């Protein structure tokens, strides 16, 4: 059974810092990996999707990498802003399944 | 595009009552997913449909839960009878195909007293 772990569970940084959020998964047989953002009391917003054949994806200040063999993904946020404050969730779609397995998330607070 | 639409946004009910949650997926999307989010367990898949057919319902907790998708633009998740442990946020998501990027609705916050 696929398990997804996100470290750290919470992170507080001052505005302007570059930061890295980590995601690890136990079964490397994945189809894709997706990063989401969740604001308090809101739904999930898809940030980036990385196919298993890809090494990274970029969108603006966000860069997600994937190392399938080691079961790891990182989400890099450059020049963080207070508006980046949210919970970031990593989700994996395993080969042979059409459903996502989610991590518990990293709660990010960027202070001005 | 309006995105995935869910109703109601909030539901407060008493134990034993029937609860029906509704979802309208993004037009043209063929796959629909129901998730539940709690502090203890995080986000868990309950059931998903492809082309209106239930494909995987292994996450449905028990017989009190049922889901239907009568057409491509509407799905319901019903809990009967509801219990306090069902209190959670229920999300609906849709995607073009089961393998594509999933887009989530705003969720329904259910409180069972």
């Amino acid at each position: 059974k696929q398990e997804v772990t996100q470290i750290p569970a919470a992170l507080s940084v001052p505005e302007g810092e570059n930061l890295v959020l980590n995601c690890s998964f136990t079964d490397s047989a994945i189809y894709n990996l997706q990063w989401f953002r969740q604001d308090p009391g809101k739904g999930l917003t898809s940030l980036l999707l990385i196919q298993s054949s890809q090494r990274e994806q970029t969108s603006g200040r966000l860069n997600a990498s994937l190392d399938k063999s080691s079961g790891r993904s990182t989400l890099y946020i450059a020049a963080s802003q207070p508006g980046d404050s949210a919970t970031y969730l990593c989700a994996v779609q395993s080969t042979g399944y059409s459903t996502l397995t989610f991590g518990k998330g990293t709660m990010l607070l960027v202070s001005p | 595009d309006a995105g995935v639409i869910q109703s109601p946004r909030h539901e407060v009910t008493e134990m034993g009552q029937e609860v029906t949650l509704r979802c309208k997926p993004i037009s043209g999307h063929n796959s629909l997913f129901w998730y539940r989010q709690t502090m203890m367990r995080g986000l868990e898949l309950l059931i998903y449909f492809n082309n209106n057919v239930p494909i995987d319902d292994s996450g449905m907790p028990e017989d009190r839960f049922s889901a239907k998708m009568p057409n491509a633009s509407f799905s319901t998740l019903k809990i009967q009878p509801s219990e306090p442990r069902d209190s959670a946020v229920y999300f609906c998501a849709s995607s073009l195909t089961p393998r594509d990027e999933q887009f989530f609705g705003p969720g329904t916050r259910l409180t069972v007293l």
Side-chain angles (χ1 to χ4, degrees), chain B residues 71-91:
Chain B
N71 57 63
S73 60
F74 183 67
S75 177
T76 60
L77 178 68
K78 185 178 294 186
I79 307 173
Q80 166 63 20
S82 58
E83 296 182 2
R85 61 191 168 120
D86 302 329
S87 297
V89 181
Y90 291 80
F91 288 104

Side-chain angles (χ1 to χ4, degrees), chain A residues 3-12 19-25 35 71-76 87-90 102-108:
Chain A
E3 292 182 5
V4 180
T5 303
Q6 291 187 246
I7 295 173
L11 181 63
S12 181
L19 56 98
V20 174
L21 307 181
N22 296 293
C23 172
S24 62
F25 44 96
W35 282 94
R72 295 176 188 273
S73 175
T74 61
L75 179 66
Y76 174 82
T87 295
Y88 291 80
L89 293 151
C90 166
F102 281 84
K104 293 285 182 69
T106 294
M107 187 182 300
L108 173 66

